[in-house]
Amino acid sequence: MTAIPSFTGDANPYGGGDPYADYRTADFPFTQYANLADRRLGAGVIAANDEFFAQRENLLVPERAEFDPEHFGHKGKIMDGWETRRRRGASAEHPWPTAEDHDWALVRLGAPGVIRGIVVDTAHFRGNYPQAVSVEGTCVAGSPSPEELLGDDVKWTTLVPRTPVGGHAANGFAVAVEQRFTHLRVNQHPDGGIARLRVHGEVVPDPEWLAVLGTFDVVALENGGQVEDASDLFYSPATNTIQPGRSRKMDDGWETRRRRDQGHDWIRYRLAAQAQIRALEIDTAYLKGNSAGWASVSVRDGEDGDWQEILPRTRLQPDTNHRFVLPAPAVGTHARVDIFPDGGISRLRLFGSLTQEGTSRLAARHQELGG
C-alpha cells in the first residue's frame, strides 16, 4: 500500500461560498481502472456498526458529496457521507477512546476483482473526519450475510494499513495485492465521517459462471472487459460504454469535445478473454444532437495482432440502439470502436463466447488470484 499523496492534518473551517474551493485532491494513477464499488455494478454497503449522523449508503453515491451549511436534523448536522457518533472512554478517569476503538462498514463490491487503488474521500468533513483509516479485503463465494462475513472463519487481508488521513480531502492509496476480492471492511479510527469510497481495479469474473452463460457480452465491465485507452475523455469516461444496462442520461455514456480538424475519435478495449464475436450493438441513447455520425468496429487477436474490421463505417442515428449480426464469427482479445468525426456513444456490446484458449487462460488467472 502507498498513500498518493498524504493529506494528513486539519482542513480549514468552512468560510462560505464554494464548499469545494479549498478541497484537497490529486491525480491518482489508479483511477484509470473501473470503480469496483460502483452501484451500477451492484455494489452495496451491507452493514455498519454505527451510522448515527449519516447513512452508510452515502459512501457509494456516484456523484461528489454535497454540503448545505444550513441543513440540520434532530440528530445534528446532516452530512452527505457516512458519519458515526463520538466515541467515549470507559470512565471519567479515562474519557478517551482506546487505541483499538474504531467504527467499521462492510462493502460488497459490484464485481469481484484485483484492487489497484482506493480513495477515501472526506469531502466536507473538516473537524469530524477520522484520525486514521484502514481497509481490509476478503474473497467469499456466493452472497454471504454480514454475520457470515464477520465470522471467525473468514480471512481478511490488509489492503490499507492504519494510516492517518486529512479532512476535506481525497485520500488516495495505491494497492499492490495480487488477489481477487469480493468484499471490503472499511475502518475509521476511532470514529468520524467519510463522504465517499472509490475502489479502482480490474474485474476478475467467475469462469464457471461465464461458461454456463455460453453467449454473453465479452466486452462488458461486469464480465471482465476493460477500457485500455481512448482518444478523448473531455466530457465523460470511456468506461461508461461498458457499464451494465442502458444509459439513463446524456452523461451516462461517452462524449468527446467538438473536433476542428479532419481526425476522428476512438476507444480501445480488452475483452474478458479470447472470444468469438457473432453480434454487436452500438447504442446512442440520450445522445441526440451530439451522437457520433458514423462508427466502425475492429478486433485483433493478441497484443501485436493486426486489426480486422468487423463492422465497416456505418451511419448512426441519434438516441438509437443499433444491432448488427456478423456474417462470420470474429476471434479476438481486443476491440476498437472508431467514431467519425466526433460526438459519442452510450454503450458498446459485443456478443459471443470464449474460445477454448480464452476459457483456459481465464480459469488459470482466476485460480492464481485465489478465486
Side-chain angles (χ1 to χ4, degrees):
M1 183 287 304
T2 306
I4 313 175
S6 177
F7 291 112
T8 55
D10 294 334
N12 294 324
Y14 175 60
D18 178 8
Y20 274 102
D22 59 341
Y23 176 67
R24 297 176 288 174
T25 187
D27 292 327
F28 303 120
F30 51 74
T31 56
Q32 64 178 299
Y33 297 101
N35 178 18
L36 304 184
D38 194 321
R39 284 288 299 170
R40 290 175 293 180
L41 288 173
V45 186
I46 60 176
N49 71 306
D50 184 280
E51 47 185 332
F52 185 85
F53 287 111
Q55 293 78 18
R56 64 182 190 261
E57 288 85 0
N58 291 333
L59 283 172
L60 304 189
V61 171
E63 295 79 21
R64 71 179 190 172
E66 297 182 353
F67 178 72
D68 181 352
E70 305 297 329
H71 200 187
F72 287 84
H74 294 293
K75 293 182 178 180
K77 180 73 185 72
I78 294 176
M79 296 293 291
D80 185 8
W82 167 51
E83 185 181 4
T84 66
R85 72 194 80 197
R86 300 187 187 216
R87 283 184 170 268
R88 298 294 186 234
S91 65
E93 291 72 26
H94 297 280
W96 310 280
T98 69
E100 292 73 31
D101 284 344
H102 68 279
D103 293 316
W104 53 264
L106 293 178
V107 177
R108 178 189 66 242
L109 297 180
V114 178
I115 297 169
R116 301 302 183 194
I118 296 173
V119 177
V120 177
D121 190 345
T122 57
H124 314 305
F125 287 94
R126 295 170 180 268
N128 49 351
Y129 59 93
Q131 181 183 35
V133 300
S134 61
V135 183
E136 303 159 280
T138 190
C139 184
V140 180
S143 304
S145 67
E147 293 74 22
E148 290 171 321
L149 288 170
L150 295 172
D152 295 335
D153 58 332
V154 174
K155 177 184 177 182
W156 291 90
T157 300
T158 298
L159 303 178
V160 179
R162 183 168 176 168
T163 306
V165 293
H168 195 45
N171 301 274
F173 306 91
V175 177
V177 180
E178 288 294 318
Q179 288 179 235
R180 180 179 185 265
F181 295 102
T182 60
H183 295 78
L184 299 185
R185 184 163 60 189
V186 181
N187 307 302
Q188 48 179 338
H189 309 265
D191 53 39
I194 299 170
R196 298 289 188 265
L197 177 73
R198 306 295 187 233
V199 183
H200 298 278
E202 301 174 63
V203 176
V204 180
D206 182 349
E208 291 188 7
W209 175 253
L210 297 184
V212 170
L213 293 181
T215 297
F216 58 92
D217 181 1
V218 298
V219 76
L221 181 60
E222 61 188 323
N223 294 331
Q226 59 181 287
V227 169
E228 288 193 326
D229 200 3
S231 61
D232 186 287
L233 300 172
F234 189 83
Y235 285 114
S236 47
T239 303
N240 281 352
T241 62
I242 54 175
Q243 289 281 3
R246 294 199 74 199
S247 176
R248 293 173 295 175
K249 51 194 176 77
M250 191 174 74
D251 67 350
D252 194 18
W254 171 63
E255 181 189 356
T256 71
R257 73 189 85 194
R258 300 186 187 213
R259 279 191 169 269
R260 302 307 186 197
D261 58 22
Q262 300 301 305
H264 73 281
D265 290 312
W266 51 268
I267 306 175
R268 188 177 73 243
Y269 306 88
R270 178 187 293 273
L271 308 184
Q274 188 189 65
Q276 269 196 341
I277 302 166
R278 292 186 286 275
L280 63 92
E281 290 183 0
I282 299 176
D283 196 352
T284 59
Y286 291 97
L287 295 165
K288 298 182 178 181
N290 49 359
S291 66
W294 292 262
S296 65
V297 179
S298 303
V299 299
R300 75 178 182 195
D301 193 21
E303 296 287 347
D304 301 319
D306 295 327
W307 288 105
Q308 171 194 355
E309 192 173 69
I310 61 173
L311 179 73
R313 193 178 303 189
T314 302
R315 188 74 169 96
L316 299 182
Q317 300 300 321
D319 195 27
T320 301
N321 191 23
H322 309 76
R323 292 180 171 177
F324 307 94
V325 176
L326 301 184
V331 175
T333 56
H334 296 72
R336 192 184 72 223
V337 60
D338 294 90
I339 64 170
F340 303 88
D342 55 24
I345 63 173
S346 61
R347 296 290 187 270
L348 174 71
R349 305 297 188 205
L350 301 177
F351 296 105
S353 53
L354 299 185
T355 63
Q356 185 173 352
E357 178 183 339
T359 299
S360 298
R361 290 195 177 189
L362 192 62
R365 184 164 187 255
H366 185 265
Q367 184 176 14
E368 177 185 340
L369 295 172

